[in-house]
Amino acid sequence: MECPLPSRGIYPDSWLKEILLCAKRIAIIGLSPDEDKDSHKVARYLLEQGYEVIPIYPKEETILGQKVYRNLDEVHGFVDIVDVFRKSQALTPIAIEVRERGGIGVLWGQLGVQNQEAEQILEHSGVRVVQNLCIKLEHQRLFSK
């Protein structure tokens, strides 16, 4: 089912809920091996919720028991969500990579990560874009009632 992208960072709960209910595989760009980092805490939470987490990180062989990939091109198969823990300007090249790779459903920029150019790059690609929201906090808010 294809849904239009919400405008100006306003995401209806039903839209976010659908994304999170349908997702199974989440690639996390910038997943740190440091247990004190937000990316690590979010990944641990997502694993506990039953998601398959795919770490994308320039070092390490495994993080949280999961094989680490250096970039999205190394990941085989469909990826439901690419969750980004990088600076906002990094979203532009990531959006280009997502568009060119194909097989990705959602580009999700964590809290403080947003980039209008990235959203425009993906506007007509069929990839949904969520920006400036924490996937863990949204999951807890929507499903822990």
Side-chain angles (χ1 to χ4, degrees), residues 14-15 74 87:
S14 60
W15 194 76
E74 292 182 5
K87 293 183 178 182

Side-chain angles (χ1 to χ4, degrees), residues 25-94:
R25 297 182 83 208
I26 302 174
I28 301 181
I29 296 179
L31 174 48
S32 174
D34 183 341
E35 293 179 11
D36 294 327
K37 298 284 187 180
D38 289 340
S39 63
H40 194 93
K41 293 173 186 176
V42 167
R44 182 183 303 117
Y45 173 83
L46 292 172
L47 283 168
E48 291 167 355
Q49 300 309 306
Y51 294 99
E52 178 184 348
V53 171
I54 303 164
I56 309 289
Y57 194 71
K59 303 177 265 191
E60 307 299 322
E61 293 305 313
T62 62
I63 298 175
L64 289 165
Q66 310 303 305
K67 177 182 174 9
V68 174
Y69 296 88
R70 302 299 171 234
N71 56 57
L72 282 173
D73 285 339
E74 292 182 5
V75 179
H76 298 288
F78 189 83
V79 175
D80 297 297
I81 300 172
V82 172
D83 188 17
V84 181
F85 282 88
R86 299 275 310 276
K87 293 183 178 182
S88 293
Q89 57 266 36
L91 274 182
T92 297
I94 292 169

